Amino acid sequence: AARSTRSAACTEVMRMSDPCPCESGLDYAACCGRFIDGGEKPETAEQLMRSRYTAYTRCNGDYLKRTWHPTRRPGILGLDDKVRWLGLKVKRTEKGGADDSEGIVEFVARYKIDGRGHRIHEVSRFVKEHGQWFYVDGEMLSK
């Protein structure tokens, strides 16, 4: 029953040729699709952050949980199907490269709920363990 109440964005099929929701300028297949649907692991903290944003736009809780650090992973995500994601802007990154074990990504994500615009401005922390990046936590700079 929960599936039928999802917003159109969560239930519409994401074609691999569609522009990636993370606004990288790449199509979904070349960007976040290879991580979310293709089983590849992001090489950088920014790639993980972008793919997690895209997973939120798709209401893909499985991917979000899989990429959340096990020590911080919530039991229930509480994805809101009324959210319409509008865009993502990466403001800065610190470390988080392919050879790093930790990284920071500051971003602004815009969305609407019931026609009202909102934004999340967060500085997110990531760690890389056994070759895989995980989201640890974030500091909200604004809501």
Side-chain angles (χ1 to χ4, degrees):
R3 204 74 163 118
S4 63
T5 62
R6 293 255 190 252
S7 69
C10 289
T11 57
E12 70 188 19
V13 174
M14 172 67 72
R15 292 187 312 270
M16 295 304 252
S17 60
D18 287 344
C20 194
C22 82
E23 298 188 337
S24 64
L26 300 172
D27 62 28
Y28 180 69
C31 195
C32 296
R34 61 195 179 119
F35 309 125
I36 295 171
D37 298 326
E40 290 184 42
K41 292 180 182 173
E43 294 177 19
T44 68
E46 182 178 339
Q47 286 177 334
L48 178 59
M49 193 281 307
R50 287 181 175 279
S51 67
R52 286 176 56 82
Y53 168 83
T54 298
Y56 274 104
T57 71
R58 312 302 309 151
C59 299
N60 187 330
D62 291 340
Y63 183 78
L64 292 167
K65 281 188 172 187
R66 202 167 53 246
T67 58
W68 215 306
H69 194 274
T71 62
R72 301 291 183 100
R73 186 180 298 144
I76 298 173
L77 290 179
L79 294 175
D80 189 342
D81 53 19
K82 293 183 179 89
V83 174
R84 191 170 135 251
W85 294 96
L86 303 173
L88 174 70
K89 179 173 175 152
V90 174
K91 298 185 70 77
R92 70 181 170 96
T93 61
E94 289 179 25
K95 297 184 183 176
D99 295 327
D100 293 318
S101 60
E102 57 187 38
I104 290 174
V105 180
E106 179 181 354
F107 69 91
V108 174
R110 296 177 301 105
Y111 63 98
K112 278 189 177 181
I113 298 177
D114 297 328
R116 284 195 57 216
H118 303 274
R119 51 186 256 144
I120 297 169
H121 186 178
E122 182 176 309
V123 176
S124 297
R125 290 189 318 127
F126 297 87
V127 296
K128 188 176 186 181
E129 295 178 353
H130 310 293
Q132 182 171 341
W133 282 102
F134 293 97
Y135 170 76
V136 178
D137 59 21
E139 177 188 351
M140 295 291 247
L141 302 180
S142 70
K143 286 192 175 184

